[in-house]
Amino acid sequence: MDPDASKDHAGSQELAERVARLEAQVAWLLQRQQVPVAPAAPAPARPIAPVAPRPAAPRKELSPVVWIAGIGAAIFLFGAIFFFRWAIQQGWVGAELRFILGLLAGGAISALAAKLILGDSRRLGVALLLAGLGTLQFTFRAGAMEYHFYAAPLGLAAAALVTLLAGGLAARSASGGALTVTLVSGLAAPLVFSQGGHHEVALAAYLAVLMAASLAVPYLSRTGASWHGTRWTALLGVWLLLLPACAEVPKADAATLALLLGLHLALAGLWAWLPGREEKPGTPTALWLVASMLATSYAWLLWKRLGLAPEAFALPVLAAAALNLALVQPLRGRMESRRADWGLLALAAGHLALAVPVALAWRWVGPIWGAFALGLAWASLKAEAGDYAEEATALRWLAAALALLTTLRWAFHGLDGFLFHTRAMTPFLNPAFAEGALASAAWWLLTRRGGPLGLISFLALEVTANVTLAFEAARLVQHLQTPSTPGWGPSRAASIAMTLVWALSGAWQWMRSLSHRDEARRALMIAGYAWMGLASFKLIASDLDRADTPLRALAFLGVGGIGMAAAILANRKRSGEPS
């Protein structure tokens, strides 16, 4: 037999055996996949032992010993006070000892406050610092005013020295609360040591030194940009003290005080913008807006004290407008954004607009206030659209304040002019209409933001706009009447014109409510019903006599026709028909 053939036969048998083994393995695997595998039984859940409620800590009843000790301490305190007062009356505790005890008590409280502020209890330390500074300040006052140990200026100097040390503590601890307490103490010192008389220039100089010295604290601590309460305290406190000084300064000192007023405006700008540091101050535009408006108002008081021509005050107003325009570019670089632009431009526009009525006629000051309010309201919307919510809020509230002032002036000015001097004003060409229209426009812009201020603005808009339009319509009717109606107040035809204006306004607002949703719809619907109801009530309660029956009938037809037309248009609008 050929050996090669035998080898091939053995290899083929081995290959066949391998194939058979592989087929058997594949069959076994397929059989195992087809047989369902029973899921493993879940492990028995371990019973969870119920958590026993933690027994409440037994309430410790106060021992009668504690009550007796507390009552005894209160009795001892009252007894000590009574004994100290009796000792003073008997002459056992003289003025010198009282003065020394006041210094020791104030110094000890202030030292403890400094230790707490530099430690971990800043809030308690700030409260104790206020108590310590107050004790020292009134001790210095007693030494000057009651015991006559020294003159009042020396006591004021001692209080200023203590205030300076407290400011150093605020700078060392970088505490805005400590600086606020220091400012309160420094601002109260002139009131505590006041002896009457004319010291307006000295007061302004003292306040300038206080502002300049305290201004060093945020620069040294490098955290003053976030001290909003401190900066508002500094600004409002100083300018409130400057108000009686500017109002009562003698004519001989008015020029000097005017120069110091300019210095205070510069210091207020430094407090508002805090230049020279990396951190960006918060609410800078609001601080500067308040300071700029107060400075303009105080400058007018000094202008009158100097006896200068009122028309010439337009020059300082123009200088203030130029200053605000000049600050736009450097403050844009300081804030690294345009967040200050709207406030500065609004201030500049307001001062430019104020210069015109100052130079020409004061009766146009009200319309200028309205224009200023309208500009601030518009600037607040633009600032909010540019993601400057903080600045937008400040501008919005300032616009509301000026709109309120304009509305109040319109209420007295326009009502007086309508009821008593109706023919003295040309319809739609008078300051009263300008005030009402501008105030209404400002309130309308403020309603677009919503919220509590939006609701207040909506109510003010309803009153201002509807009454302004009604007055001007009545004034136009009465102006066109021939012959003129004798007596004061509106004629009957003018009164009917007012009624029709309110009816039209109510119907229009009711129609507008159908295209709004939620709160806007409810507000417009209520306003529409209110004005239509007021118009109807005014017609029913009018005192027209029989001779005016055609006029009364025409008025009723007009009001009723307005109501029916509004209902028909509303029905068509709901059904989708063209109006």
Side-chain angles (χ1 to χ4, degrees):
M1 184 175 182
D2 190 1
D4 295 333
S6 61
K7 290 181 180 180
D8 293 339
H9 181 70
S12 62
Q13 287 181 351
E14 184 179 0
L15 181 62
E17 292 176 357
R18 289 181 178 181
V19 171
R21 286 197 301 269
L22 288 173
E23 289 178 352
Q25 292 178 357
V26 170
W28 179 78
L29 290 174
L30 290 175
Q31 185 180 4
R32 187 173 181 180
Q33 287 181 356
Q34 292 175 0
V35 175
V37 179
R46 180 179 298 177
I48 301 175
V51 179
R54 181 178 297 178
R59 185 177 180 181
K60 296 181 179 179
E61 296 184 0
L62 291 178
S63 173
V65 177
V66 178
W67 284 102
I68 294 173
I71 295 173
I75 294 174
F76 178 81
L77 179 61
F78 281 108
I81 295 174
F82 177 79
F83 178 78
F84 187 73
R85 182 177 179 182
W86 179 72
I88 292 175
Q89 293 175 352
Q90 295 297 322
W92 295 352
V93 181
E96 295 82 1
L97 183 57
R98 279 178 275 169
F99 182 75
I100 293 173
L101 288 176
L103 291 179
L104 291 176
I109 296 173
S110 300
L112 178 60
K115 182 179 179 180
L116 294 175
I117 290 174
L118 295 174
D120 298 331
S121 302
R122 286 198 171 189
R123 292 184 177 180
L124 179 59
V126 169
L128 289 178
L129 181 62
L130 179 60
L133 292 178
T135 303
L136 289 173
Q137 193 169 105
F138 282 99
T139 300
F140 293 146
R141 182 188 185 280
M145 304 292 189
E146 297 180 10
Y147 309 147
H148 304 287
F149 293 159
Y150 42 78
L154 187 60
L156 179 60
L161 179 61
V162 173
T163 302
L164 182 62
L165 294 176
L169 173 64
R172 173 76 180 277
S173 59
S175 173
L179 182 57
T180 303
V181 168
T182 303
L183 284 170
V184 170
S185 176
L187 293 171
L191 302 177
V192 171
F193 291 92
S194 176
Q195 293 179 303
H198 289 284
H199 303 285
E200 291 82 8
V201 174
L203 174 63
Y206 167 81
L207 294 175
V209 173
L210 176 65
M211 286 286 283
S214 56
L215 187 60
V217 176
Y219 285 111
L220 293 175
S221 61
R222 301 187 179 185
T223 57
S226 59
W227 295 350
H228 304 303
T230 302
R231 293 157 67 205
W232 278 109
T233 301
L235 178 71
L236 296 179
V238 167
W239 287 88
L240 284 177
L241 290 178
L242 286 175
L243 175 58
C246 294
E248 300 174 2
V249 63
K251 184 177 180 179
D253 297 332
T256 306
L257 189 58
L259 296 176
L260 290 173
L261 188 67
L263 176 60
H264 276 286
L265 181 61
L267 291 172
L270 293 176
W271 267 102
W273 304 104
L274 293 175
R277 295 295 179 191
E278 293 80 7
E279 66 269 15
K280 302 299 181 290
T283 64
T285 307
L287 285 164
W288 178 249
L289 282 169
V290 173
S292 182
M293 283 190 262
L294 289 177
T296 305
S297 304
Y298 292 3
W300 168 244
L301 295 176
L302 294 176
W303 196 268
K304 291 196 299 183
R305 284 286 176 177
L306 290 171
L308 301 175
E311 296 80 8
F313 186 67
L315 296 177
V317 174
L318 291 175
L323 174 63
N324 285 285
L325 286 175
L327 287 174
V328 172
Q329 189 63 32
L331 291 179
R332 186 182 297 174
R334 165 73 180 103
M335 305 302 293
E336 296 180 356
S337 67
R338 298 177 177 269
R339 58 185 298 190
D341 290 6
W342 296 114
L344 293 174
L345 292 176
L347 269 176
H351 282 88
L352 286 173
L354 181 62
V356 177
V358 167
L360 298 178
W362 274 100
R363 67 177 181 273
W364 291 100
V365 172
I368 295 306
W369 287 353
F372 201 4
L374 182 61
L376 286 174
W378 176 79
S380 69
L381 293 177
K382 290 296 182 180
E384 189 172 14
D387 297 330
Y388 301 130
E390 188 176 352
E391 305 297 325
T393 302
L395 290 173
R396 190 179 304 114
W397 282 103
L398 287 172
L402 279 173
L404 179 61
L405 287 176
T406 308
T407 303
L408 293 175
R409 180 175 173 83
W410 161 82
F412 292 103
H413 188 192
L415 189 63
D416 176 75
F418 180 72
L419 294 179
F420 302 104
H421 307 286
T422 309
R423 292 193 171 275
M425 294 184 180
T426 305
F428 298 100
L429 296 176
N430 56 81
F433 175 72
E435 291 166 1
L438 291 170
S440 300
W443 290 124
W444 177 73
L445 288 180
L446 292 173
T447 58
R448 301 180 63 182
R449 181 60 177 80
L453 181 60
L455 177 60
I456 296 172
S457 302
F458 178 77
L459 296 176
L461 171 64
E462 286 292 328
V463 175
T464 310
N466 285 284
V467 177
T468 299
L469 289 176
F471 276 14
E472 292 307 313
R475 187 176 286 117
L476 177 63
V477 169
Q478 189 155 338
H479 185 78
L480 296 177
Q481 277 185 302
T482 53
S484 60
T485 304
W488 290 349
S491 64
R492 292 177 178 177
S495 179
I496 293 298
M498 293 175 59
T499 305
L500 292 177
V501 168
W502 289 340
L504 283 171
S505 174
W508 178 78
Q509 291 186 76
W510 186 70
M511 288 291 300
R512 288 279 296 170
S513 68
L514 301 178
S515 59
H516 287 75
R517 294 291 183 268
D518 301 333
E519 295 181 0
R521 177 178 183 176
R522 189 182 303 123
L524 287 172
M525 186 171 293
I526 292 174
Y529 283 134
W531 287 109
M532 286 192 291
L534 180 62
S536 301
F537 177 78
K538 189 174 183 300
L539 276 179
I540 295 172
S542 60
D543 56 349
L544 299 178
D545 55 21
R546 295 182 179 179
D548 294 315
T549 299
L551 190 59
R552 180 197 290 266
L554 181 61
F556 272 108
L557 288 174
V559 173
I562 290 171
M564 288 190 296
I568 293 172
L569 291 175
N571 187 31
R572 289 186 177 182
K573 192 168 186 178
R574 287 181 176 179
S575 60
E577 297 180 10
S579 299

